[in-house]
Amino acid sequence: MNIRNEIKAYIVREGISMSEVVRRLATLHDWSASVPNFSDKLKRGTLRYSEALELADVLGYKIVCKKKESTHE
């Protein structure tokens, strides 16, 4: 699954529209209020890490980095 489809799946899982996600991002994190701009960013794969954190925030998620378990022991 590519990142665009994965993000869209999270949005659908939360039962909200792309328009609502963009509205929340614009209100809470000063993003552009343009759905086409957000959609294009997902299509191009140009979502920055800081933007991913803000997107996760408005969807009610938290991005966590976890060290892999070593299989070389």
Side-chain angles (χ1 to χ4, degrees), residues 3-4 36-47 51:
I3 193 68
R4 177 178 179 240
N37 285 353
F38 178 64
S39 186
D40 287 344
K41 186 177 284 279
L42 295 180
K43 280 183 205 170
R44 290 189 308 267
T46 57
L47 190 71
E51 293 170 329

Side-chain angles (χ1 to χ4, degrees), residues 3-26 28-29 31 38 42 47 51-63:
I3 193 68
R4 177 178 179 240
N5 290 338
E6 192 169 338
I7 288 171
K8 287 178 115 180
Y10 278 105
I11 292 169
V12 168
R13 229 176 278 146
E14 291 307 308
I16 60 177
S17 67
M18 289 278 276
S19 298
E20 177 61 17
V21 170
V22 169
R23 186 195 66 74
R24 291 179 188 183
L25 287 166
L28 298 172
H29 297 291
W31 282 40
F38 178 64
L42 295 180
L47 190 71
E51 293 170 329
L53 292 172
E54 292 169 350
L55 176 58
D57 177 58
V58 301
L59 292 175
Y61 289 85
K62 182 177 180 180
I63 296 175

